[in-house]
C-alpha cells in the first residue's frame, strides 16, 4: 500500500543561528565595558592586604615590645623571688653575724666567759643591736648555759642553775669538732613556746674549746617578714624547710596548734593556704615562662577549678640539714597581667588581620573560581556530545574569564551545528576506541537499508517545509532504534537510511543486533501509524534489507571532507535486498508495517529466538547468480 507522508509531524530542531564566527567579517564586534585583569586584582588586593597586615603587626610589636615580653616577665619573676630571699636572708644573716661577733669577742679575751655578768651584758647588747634575732645563748663545755631573749616585755636574761647540766654538756660535746659557724636546723624553745632556726659558732680561746654561741630566729619573726613582703608585692610568699614542712608563712604569725618539741614545723596542709598545699601536685605542668632559661629560678603551674596557680621559687642551701624553698604563688587573676594583656592584644589584632586576609581571599577566590567552575562543568557536559543540553557559560567581572566564556559560547554554537551533521554516538565510540578505530580495515559487519514505500509519489503533494518535517520525524524514529542496539547510522539517502553494526566496536552478534533493530523499527512504526491514523493521516510502510559479510571500514573521503563509513559488496547486497522487497510484499509476520528481508549469511548469525520465513533462491538486480532470501518475522 502506498503511504502518504505526514506534512504536520514535528521535525528535529535545527540550530537557530550560525555561530558568531561564521556570520562574516562584516559583523560589528560587540562593545564591552572595561574589566580589570586577574593579575591586577590579585596584585593590588593582596598587596594592600599584606601592607595593612605588616603595618599593624609592626605597630603592635613596637608599641608592646612583644618580642621582649617573655624576657621581661622572667626578669620580673626572678627579681620578685630574689627580693624574698634577700628579705629572709637579712634576718638569718643578722643571727649569724651576732653569733660570730660574740665568739670573736670571747676569743680575743675582751669578755671572760667565767664572768657571767659581763658575758650576759655583752649578749644583751648584741641582741639589742639585732632586732631580727630572737635570742642568743652561750652553752659551756662544762655544762652550764647563759641565755638572753626577747619576751613580751622586751629583752630578758635567763641564768641556768649553778650545777652543770649533763644534757648541755652532751650537746656542746657534739660540736667540739666543728670550727666554723653552722646552721643546726629547727628546734622548739620551750620557754618561748615556738620553733626557731638556730645558727651556732664554736668558741675557742688560746686553742681551748670553751663551748658554743648560738643565735636563734623564731618562725614567727620570719613569718612577719613574709607577710610584709606579701603586702608589698601582692603575691603569696612562702619558705619551706625541705619540700613538706613550712618554715615561714603569714599564717604562722600566730602559733599553729599541734606544734611542739617533737613537731616544731607544720606540714603543707596544716597552714591556712590551700594553694600552697597543692604545690607538689602530681598534675603540675611546666611554665613557658621558664623555658630556655639559664636562671636558677624554678617553677610550674597547677590547674585547679578552671584556675591556673603559678609557683615560682628557688632552692637555697646552707641554712641547716634541709634545703629551703623560697618563693611565691598566685592564681592567674592575681598576677599583674600587663605584659600578658599586651600579648593577648597583639594576638587578637593578628587574628583580626588573618580573618580579614582569609575573607578577602575567599571573596577573590570565589569570584575567580565561579566562572572557572562553570566553564569546567560545561566542558564536562560537552564530553557527552549532547551539545543542546549544555548551558552557555556565564560572563565574569574579570577580563580573561569573560573572554574565555565568550570563546566557549562561540565554540558551543559551532559544536551544536557539528552535532547536526555528525552522529554523536559514533563520535563517542571513536573517541573511546582511539586512533586505531578510524584506520581502514576489513571487518565482518551487518548492514541495513530502509526505504519508504511509495514515497516518491507522496512527496509531490507536500511543501518543502512539510517534507522536511516528515523526514526529520521519520529519521529520528529510526535512528533511535539503531542507537539502542549500539548501531551506527551511516547516512540518509533521500528517504532511505543506511546503518551498520560490527564497527567501530567489535560486536560478534552484529547480525542479531541488526535484526533486533529492524524489528524494533517495525514496532515503533506501528505505534506511530496508530497516532497518524488518529490524525487522519495515511500509514507509513517500509522495506528493509539486511546482509552480513565483509566490508572495508574506516575514514573514507578527501581531506577536509571525510566520513567514517564502510564500502564493499556487503553494502550493495543489503541495498539490493531492500529493493527486492517490492516483489515480496508485507507478509503475515510480526514485523508489522515493514517488509524485512535478510540474506543467508545474516540468517546464519541469528539464534533460535528469531522467527524467519525461507523465501528460497532469488536473483538480485545487478548480481550474477542467486542468493537465498529469508523474511524476518519476529
Amino acid at each position: 500500500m502506498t503511504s502518504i507522508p505526514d506534512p504536520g509531524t514535528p521535525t528535529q530542531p535545527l540550530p537557530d543561528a550560525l555561530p558568531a564566527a561564521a556570520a562574516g567579517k562584516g559583523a560589528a564586534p560587540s562593545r564591552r565595558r572595561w574589566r580589570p585583569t586577574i593579575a591586577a586584582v590579585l596584585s593590588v588586593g593582596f598587596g594592600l592586604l599584606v601592607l595593612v597586615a605588616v603595618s599593624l603587626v609592626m605597630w603592635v610589636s613596637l608599641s608592646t615590645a612583644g618580642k621582649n615580653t617573655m624576657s621581661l616577665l622572667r626578669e620580673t619573676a626572678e627579681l620578685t623571688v630574689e627580693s624574698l630571699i634577700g628579705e629572709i636572708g637579712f634576718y638569718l644573716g643578722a643571727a649569724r653575724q651576732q653569733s660570730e661577733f660574740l665568739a670573736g669577742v670571747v676569743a680575743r679575751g675582751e669578755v671572760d666567759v667565767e664572768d657571767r655578768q659581763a658575758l650576759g651584758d655583752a649578749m644583751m647588747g648584741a641582741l639589742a643591736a639585732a632586732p631580727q634575732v630572737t635570742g642568743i645563748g652561750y652553752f659551756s663545755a662544762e655544762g652550764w648555759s647563759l641565755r638572753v631573749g626577747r619576751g613580751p616585755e622586751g629583752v630578758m636574761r635567763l641564768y641556768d642553775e649553778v650545777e652543770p647540766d649533763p644534757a648541755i654538756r652532751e650537746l656542746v660535746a657534739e660540736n667540739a669538732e666543728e670550727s666554723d659557724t653552722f646552721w643546726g636546723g629547727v628546734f622548739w624553745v620551750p620557754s618561748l613556746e615556738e620553733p626557731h632556726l638556730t645558727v651556732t659558732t664554736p668558741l675557742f680561746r688560746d686553742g681551748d674549746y670553751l663551748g658554743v654561741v648560738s643565735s636563734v630566729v623564731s618562725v614567727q619573726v620570719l613569718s612577719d617578714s613574709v607577710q610584709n613582703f606579701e603586702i608589698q608585692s601582692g603575691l603569696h610568699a612562702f619558705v619551706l624547710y625541705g619540700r613538706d614542712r613550712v618554715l615561714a608563712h603569714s599564717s604562722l604569725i600566730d602559733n599553729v596548734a599541734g606544734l611542739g618539741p617533737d613537731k616544731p614545723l607544720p606540714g603543707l596542709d596544716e597552714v591556712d593556704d590551700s594553694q600552697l598545699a597543692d604545690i607538689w601536685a602530681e598534675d603540675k605542668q611546666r611554665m613557658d615562662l621558664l623555658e630556655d632559661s639559664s636562671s636558677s629560678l624554678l617553677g610550674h603551674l597547677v590547674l585547679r577549678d578552671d584556675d591556673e596557680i603559678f609557683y615560682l621559687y628557688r632552692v637555697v642551701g646552707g641554712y641547716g640539714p634541709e634545703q629551703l624553698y623560697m618563693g611565691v604563688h598566685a592564681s592567674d587573676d592575681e598576677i599583674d597581667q600587663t605584659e600578658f594583656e599586651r600579648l593577648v592584644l597583639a594576638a587578637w589584632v593578628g587574628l583580626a588581620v588573618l580573618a580579614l586576609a582569609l575573607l578577602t581571599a575567599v571573596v577573590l577566590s570565589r569570584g575567580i573560581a565561579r566562572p572557572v567552575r562553570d566553564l569546567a562543568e560545561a566542558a564536562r557536559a560537552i564530553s557527552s556530545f549532547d551539545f543542546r543540553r549544555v548551558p552557555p557559560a556565564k560572563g565574569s567581572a574579570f577580563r580573561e574569564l569573560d573572554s574565555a566564556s565568550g570563546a566557549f559560547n562561540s565554540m558551543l554554537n559551532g559544536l551544536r551545528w557539528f552535532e547536526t551533521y555528525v552522529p554523536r554516538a559514533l563520535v563517542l565510540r571513536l573517541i573511546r576506541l582511539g586512533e586505531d578505530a578510524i584506520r581502514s580495515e576489513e571487518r565482518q559487519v551487518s548492514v541495513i537499508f530502509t526505504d519508504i514505500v511509495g514515497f516518491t509519489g507522496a512527496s509531490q503533494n507536500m511543501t518543502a517545509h512539510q517534507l522536511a518535517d516528515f523526514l526529520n520525524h521519520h529519521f529520528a524514529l529510526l535512528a533511535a532504534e539503531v542507537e539502542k542496539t549500539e548501531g551506527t547510522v551511516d547516512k540518509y539517502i533521500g528517504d532511505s537510511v543506511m546503518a551498520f553494526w560490527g564497527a567501530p566496536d567489535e560486536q560478534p552478534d552484529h547480525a542479531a543486533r541488526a535484526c533486533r533493530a529492524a524489528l524494533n523499527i517495525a514496532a515503533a512504526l506501528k505505534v506511530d501509524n496508530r497516532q497518524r491514523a488518529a490524525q487522519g493521516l495515511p500509514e507509513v510502510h517500509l522495506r528493509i534489507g539486511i546482509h552480513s559479510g565483509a566490508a572495508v571500514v574506516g575514514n573514507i573521503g578527501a581531506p577536509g571532507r571525510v566520513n567514517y563509513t564502510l564500502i564493499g559488496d556487503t553494502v550493495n547486497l543489503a541495498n539490493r535486498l531492500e529493493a527486492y522487497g517490492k516483489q515480496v510484499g508485507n507478509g503475515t509476520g510480526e514485523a508489522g508495517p515493514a517488509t524485512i528481508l535478510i540474506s543467508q549469511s545474516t540468517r546464519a548469525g541469528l539464534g533460535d529466538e528469531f522467527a524467519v520465513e525461507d523465501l528460497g533462491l532469488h536473483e538480485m538486480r545487478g548480481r550474477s547468480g542467486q542468493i537465498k532470501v529469508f523474511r524476518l518475522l519476529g
Side-chain angles (χ1 to χ4, degrees), residues 425-426 428-430 432-433 437 443-445 486-488 500-508 510 513 564:
L426 172 61
L428 287 174
R429 289 202 294 272
L430 290 175
R432 176 170 52 83
L433 295 173
R443 298 276 287 272
Q444 291 295 321
V445 297
E486 298 183 347
T488 300
F500 58 88
W501 288 258
D505 294 303
E506 291 284 352
Q507 296 171 330
H510 53 82
R513 289 173 183 261
Y564 182 84

Side-chain angles (χ1 to χ4, degrees), residues 345-358:
L345 174 62
W348 277 112
V349 172
L351 288 175
V353 173
L354 179 60
L356 179 62
L358 291 176

Side-chain angles (χ1 to χ4, degrees), residues 6-18:
D6 176 14
T9 304
T11 64
Q12 179 180 355
L14 294 176
D16 296 331
L18 289 172

Side-chain angles (χ1 to χ4, degrees), residues 283 285 301-309:
D283 59 347
Q285 303 176 15
L301 62 88
V302 175
L303 299 178
R304 285 295 179 270
D305 299 328
D306 299 328
D307 198 7
E308 291 182 338
I309 311 301

Side-chain angles (χ1 to χ4, degrees), residues 28-243:
S30 59
R31 300 184 62 183
R32 296 178 179 271
R33 58 187 176 87
W34 181 85
R35 292 179 173 84
T37 64
I38 296 177
V41 171
L42 292 179
S43 298
V44 174
F46 286 108
L48 289 175
L49 179 64
V50 171
L51 178 62
V52 172
V54 171
S55 299
L56 286 174
V57 171
M58 289 181 62
W59 176 78
V60 172
S61 298
L62 292 176
S63 63
T64 61
K67 64 179 181 179
N68 296 321
T69 297
M70 297 306 289
S71 176
L72 291 174
L73 289 173
R74 183 166 52 245
E75 291 177 3
T76 301
E78 290 176 352
L79 289 174
T80 300
V81 176
E82 190 65 37
S83 177
L84 174 64
I85 294 175
E87 185 79 12
I88 299 300
F90 174 70
Y91 283 82
L92 299 181
R96 180 180 184 127
Q97 291 172 1
Q98 294 307 314
S99 178
E100 292 177 342
F101 168 74
L102 286 173
V105 168
V106 173
R108 292 191 298 269
E110 298 176 5
V111 175
D112 185 359
V113 294
E114 298 299 330
D115 185 353
R116 297 189 184 185
Q117 181 64 40
L119 179 60
D121 291 340
M123 294 173 61
M124 292 184 68
L127 185 61
Q132 306 91 343
V133 181
T134 306
I136 302 175
Y138 170 72
F139 299 90
S140 170
E142 298 175 353
W144 59 272
S145 66
L146 178 65
R147 290 168 289 168
V148 295
R150 300 182 190 277
E153 300 179 356
V155 177
M156 59 181 180
R157 181 181 301 176
L158 304 172
Y159 289 98
D160 275 22
E161 298 294 333
V162 176
E163 293 81 5
D165 187 346
I168 294 177
R169 182 176 296 174
E170 182 180 355
L171 174 64
V172 175
E174 291 176 356
N175 300 316
E177 301 299 327
E178 298 288 344
S179 59
D180 296 326
T181 301
F182 64 92
W183 289 88
V186 178
F187 69 98
W188 183 264
V189 179
S191 60
L192 299 177
E193 295 184 350
E194 60 178 310
H196 290 69
L197 189 63
T198 178
V199 57
T200 300
T201 302
L203 198 154
F204 293 90
R205 187 173 63 186
D206 299 331
D208 296 328
Y209 178 58
L210 303 179
V212 296
V213 176
S214 297
S215 297
V216 296
V217 179
S218 71
V219 169
Q220 185 179 30
V221 170
L222 294 177
S223 297
D224 282 333
S225 176
V226 167
Q227 187 180 58
N228 292 333
F229 176 82
E230 290 180 345
I231 294 174
Q232 295 175 4
S233 66
L235 302 174
H236 304 290
F238 60 86
V239 178
L240 302 184
Y241 192 72
R243 289 173 59 92

Side-chain angles (χ1 to χ4, degrees), residues 516-532:
R516 192 176 300 114
L519 292 173
N520 291 341
I521 288 172
L525 192 60
K526 186 175 182 179
V527 174
D528 189 59
N529 280 339
R530 284 200 295 266
Q531 296 175 354
R532 292 174 60 83

